[in-house]
Amino acid sequence: MKILEQSVPLNKSNIWNLQTSIYSKLGLQAWTHRGVPSYMTNNPYTAKQYAQLIVSYLRDGLDPNSKKPISSSDPIYIFDLGAGTGRFAYVFLKQFFKLIKGIQYLESLTIRYVLTDIVDSNLDFCEHHNYLKSFIEKGIIDFAHFSYDQKEPLQLRLAKTALDHTNVKNPVILIANYFFDTIPQDLIRYHGGNWEEGHITIKGPESTSSLGHPFEDTEILEKLHFEFSYLPISPEKKANYEGIPEAHSLIDEYSNKLDGVPFTVPQGAFKTIRFFEELSQSRLLVISGDQGYSSIEQLKNSGEPRFAIHGAFSMAVNYNALARFFDKKQGKGFVTTLSDPVFQVFVGLLGGNASDYPELSVAHKEYLESFEPKDYWSLATLVQSEWTNPSLDTLLLILKLGSWDPMNLYTFYSMIREQVPTATPKQKEELRTAIHEVWENFYPIHALEGEFIMNLGVMFFEMQYFAEALGFLQRSLMITGDNATTYTNMAACYLSLFNPEAAHKCFEKAKAMHDAVGVA
């Protein structure tokens, strides 16, 4: 192995430059081809929980007796950091506006949902996605470039406005899903009565010597080997840790709790929060779903940092440190009691404490504490792996519990379809409703996803809802483009609807496509 980088402080490592290079060069393919995780945050169940939290926060600020009032005449900005494909934005806005429908004082608010990213092509994709079009036309959605270490004001693409503390009048809401685990972190250890800074050494195959700059190679990540070492940290550096007094105080706290145990400090997250703290004049709500550690016990068992490789890479977040960071700023950091390091949702509040936001505090207990997104995901997984023959009624309840999650219907499609021939009229009607609800949460990012919609059309056909089957097959074509199988299925629908002329046209299109493939 060749040493590519030797004994560099973790937060200064070139590994973070490689991360930026990977996302910049891959764009949308980071999700469609490389498998960057997104499901845990991009499903309707998680989005609904976030919507409940945000609605509760807004109700606190709109209460006439609020100590931290929200102005109903000024926009409420919600920033979606590292928005990527835009899928979370879509399902969240669906859940949010469904939740406030009919509540006049909430419906009258001006919501500005800003998707941010460091990759312009991702923002381009979202800006031109048909499923976001209605939100864009209503002025709800806008876009902005944002990096965790950004200094300049946010520039809104569509409004052509620069945002700063002079024109943002209300508290700001920050959604940071799978964001803090992809930006720089520090590694610290208190050992033998001394503070030490974690350094990283990166090695790669000898063949990397031929590369101009290995940390710009998007294919190198899985070939790298990481080692950590520790060097004494100077009193001056520790006393002025990144210019963040709260972080310095936090590190001191860990001395008698984590003696000899290395722990990360989410330096990139601190910088992000400080940016939006200044933008909002210290009135901020942060909701972050990610892998991470919330308790001292979890930190003790975490060991040295591990890079999860999935096209790009990620590193678990020290949410315990983030919670204490908010507490030290006279705010509140909320973590759940039984959080799972695999995935958890953190809530941070600036501009008041829990007693100033009673609705938000209750919502956190009622939704996140009672049944977290990870609990929902675990239940659906257990049904799939342990329950060999669940009834159609059970599967319909799972769909309902997940707030009509398309992934659930995709996962259980075969199980459901097998039971359609023996389903009662009541069950068919419930399944019919479920499919329409799932469609409302469906957001394609790849042409192949249209095949799922085609399968829903097939299921409608088998239940003899021929007009609805045709509608879903047509929607499938809009995603996949011309498809011989879809045209054949459409022809069957038209015959069942007594329209032989339209059926003939579909058969001809299918035949022409088959013939073209044969010639090729």
Side-chain angles (χ1 to χ4, degrees):
M1 300 288 281
K2 175 184 177 66
I3 293 177
L4 304 178
E5 183 175 76
Q6 187 163 18
S7 192
V8 175
L10 178 58
N11 77 305
K12 306 295 185 186
S13 171
N14 272 309
I15 192 71
W16 307 108
N17 297 330
L18 176 60
Q19 180 88 299
T20 301
S21 180
I22 289 172
Y23 277 111
S24 298
K25 290 182 178 179
L26 290 181
L28 205 69
Q29 288 189 357
W31 290 271
T32 59
H33 291 73
R34 294 297 188 91
V36 168
S38 63
Y39 170 72
M40 287 297 292
T41 55
N42 286 357
N43 66 77
Y45 184 85
T46 302
K48 186 176 182 179
Q49 289 201 322
Y50 282 32
Q52 295 279 11
L53 292 169
I54 291 172
V55 167
S56 299
Y57 178 72
L58 295 176
R59 289 176 63 181
D60 279 324
L62 292 168
D63 188 297
N65 299 316
S66 173
K67 298 177 184 177
K68 311 290 180 180
I70 287 175
S71 167
S72 58
S73 59
D74 293 298
I76 305 290
Y77 284 99
I78 303 174
F79 294 96
D80 185 346
L81 304 186
T85 66
R87 180 173 279 163
F88 176 82
Y90 181 75
V91 293
F92 169 80
L93 289 171
K94 286 273 189 176
Q95 297 294 330
F96 177 81
F97 285 108
K98 184 186 295 185
L99 204 58
I100 66 172
K101 186 175 182 180
I103 305 175
Q104 197 278 329
Y105 75 98
L106 290 174
E107 281 189 316
S108 64
L109 292 174
T110 301
I111 301 297
R112 296 283 182 263
Y113 191 99
V114 183
L115 288 80
T116 80
D117 210 295
I118 59 170
V119 183
D120 287 339
S121 63
N122 290 344
L123 298 179
D124 293 340
F125 173 81
C126 295
E127 184 177 345
H128 297 99
H129 200 298
N130 283 335
Y131 288 44
L132 296 178
K133 186 177 180 181
S134 64
F135 293 115
I136 293 172
E137 290 175 343
K138 293 173 184 175
I140 295 169
I141 281 182
D142 210 322
F143 307 90
H145 183 281
F146 175 75
S147 173
Y148 79 95
D149 57 353
Q150 186 162 312
K151 299 292 191 301
E152 63 274 11
L154 285 165
Q155 301 284 337
L156 297 184
R157 269 191 178 197
L158 305 183
K160 302 187 184 307
T161 302
L163 293 181
D164 58 33
H165 69 278
T166 64
N167 56 11
V168 175
K169 305 297 184 182
N170 270 321
V172 160
I173 298 167
L174 208 60
I175 295 173
N177 288 328
Y178 286 127
F179 184 76
F180 294 148
D181 70 343
T182 64
I183 57 179
Q185 302 189 43
D186 279 335
L187 180 60
I188 304 289
R189 184 174 72 175
Y190 184 73
H191 184 65
N194 298 304
W195 283 105
E196 299 173 330
E197 183 176 53
H199 286 224
I200 186 171
T201 294
I202 303 177
K203 298 179 180 180
E206 279 292 337
S207 57
T208 56
S209 61
S210 62
L211 297 172
H213 198 308
F215 294 106
E216 294 179 359
D217 177 12
T218 59
E219 305 298 325
I220 197 176
L221 189 57
E222 293 183 358
K223 304 171 187 175
L224 299 180
H225 176 72
F226 308 100
E227 297 174 0
F228 293 100
S229 57
Y230 300 86
L231 295 174
I233 186 171
S234 69
E236 293 78 19
K237 183 172 183 179
K238 176 177 167 292
N240 188 33
Y241 180 82
E242 297 293 337
I244 306 173
E246 295 83 6
H248 164 228
S249 172
L250 171 68
I251 292 171
D252 270 342
E253 278 188 14
Y254 283 147
S255 63
N256 59 5
K257 297 178 180 178
L258 297 171
D259 190 7
V261 178
F263 59 89
T264 56
V265 179
Q267 180 238 89
F270 290 159
K271 288 185 176 181
T272 300
I273 291 164
R274 187 162 55 181
F275 179 92
F276 286 97
E277 180 184 5
E278 292 174 359
L279 178 67
S280 65
Q281 301 177 65
S282 300
R283 298 168 303 158
L284 183 64
L285 174 68
V286 178
I287 307 176
S288 175
D290 219 322
Q291 56 177 320
Y293 309 111
S294 290
S295 68
I296 293 295
E297 199 61 34
Q298 288 177 352
L299 287 171
K300 286 180 179 177
N301 295 323
S302 64
E304 289 184 324
R306 292 181 293 277
F307 293 100
I309 309 297
H310 37 60
F313 72 86
S314 59
M315 180 188 294
V317 182
N318 184 347
Y319 277 128
N320 180 270
L322 269 181
R324 295 296 298 129
F325 178 77
F326 276 86
D327 293 345
K328 288 176 180 296
K329 296 179 79 67
Q330 308 304 310
K332 174 64 179 175
F334 296 88
V335 294
T336 53
T337 306
L338 299 175
S339 59
D340 189 324
V342 172
F343 183 84
Q344 52 191 276
V345 178
F346 167 82
V347 179
L349 182 65
L350 288 182
N353 53 38
S355 63
D356 296 319
Y357 293 89
E359 294 269 5
L360 176 65
S361 300
V362 170
H364 185 268
K365 293 175 184 176
E366 176 65 21
Y367 300 107
L368 286 182
E369 276 282 4
S370 62
F371 204 70
E372 299 181 57
K374 177 61 167 58
D375 298 327
Y376 153 68
W377 177 80
S378 296
L379 177 62
T381 303
L382 289 171
V383 169
Q384 183 185 13
S385 62
E386 296 185 1
W387 204 336
T388 56
N389 192 28
S391 68
L392 181 56
D393 289 334
T394 299
L395 295 172
L396 288 170
L397 286 173
I398 292 293
L399 290 177
K400 187 176 183 180
L401 175 66
S403 300
W404 315 111
D405 181 0
M407 183 56 72
N408 266 348
L409 187 50
Y410 175 82
T411 300
F412 298 118
Y413 175 80
S414 296
M415 292 182 183
I416 293 173
R417 187 180 177 190
E418 288 173 2
Q419 299 184 56
V420 165
T422 58
T424 66
K426 180 176 179 293
Q427 287 175 321
K428 288 181 180 179
E429 194 59 34
E430 289 179 356
L431 179 55
R432 175 190 196 183
T433 300
I435 294 174
H436 283 294
E437 292 283 359
V438 165
W439 166 253
E440 289 298 312
N441 292 314
F442 180 73
Y443 179 92
I445 62 172
H446 194 283
L448 290 178
E449 291 176 300
E451 294 181 6
F452 169 62
I453 302 304
M454 181 189 72
N455 286 339
L456 297 184
V458 170
M459 192 178 287
F460 269 124
F461 182 87
E462 292 175 345
M463 290 191 291
Q464 299 186 11
Y465 297 128
F466 303 121
E468 285 157 295
L470 184 61
F472 272 77
L473 293 171
Q474 290 168 336
R475 289 169 177 172
S476 170
L477 285 179
M478 294 175 67
I479 300 168
T480 62
D482 284 345
N483 181 289
T485 302
T486 305
Y487 280 123
T488 301
N489 289 332
M490 287 173 63
C493 288
Y494 278 121
L495 287 176
S496 298
L497 292 168
F498 306 104
N499 189 341
E501 184 178 344
H504 177 72
K505 290 180 180 179
C506 288
F507 274 128
E508 287 298 310
K509 287 182 178 180
K511 183 177 182 299
M513 293 183 71
H514 280 302
D515 291 345
V517 171
V519 170

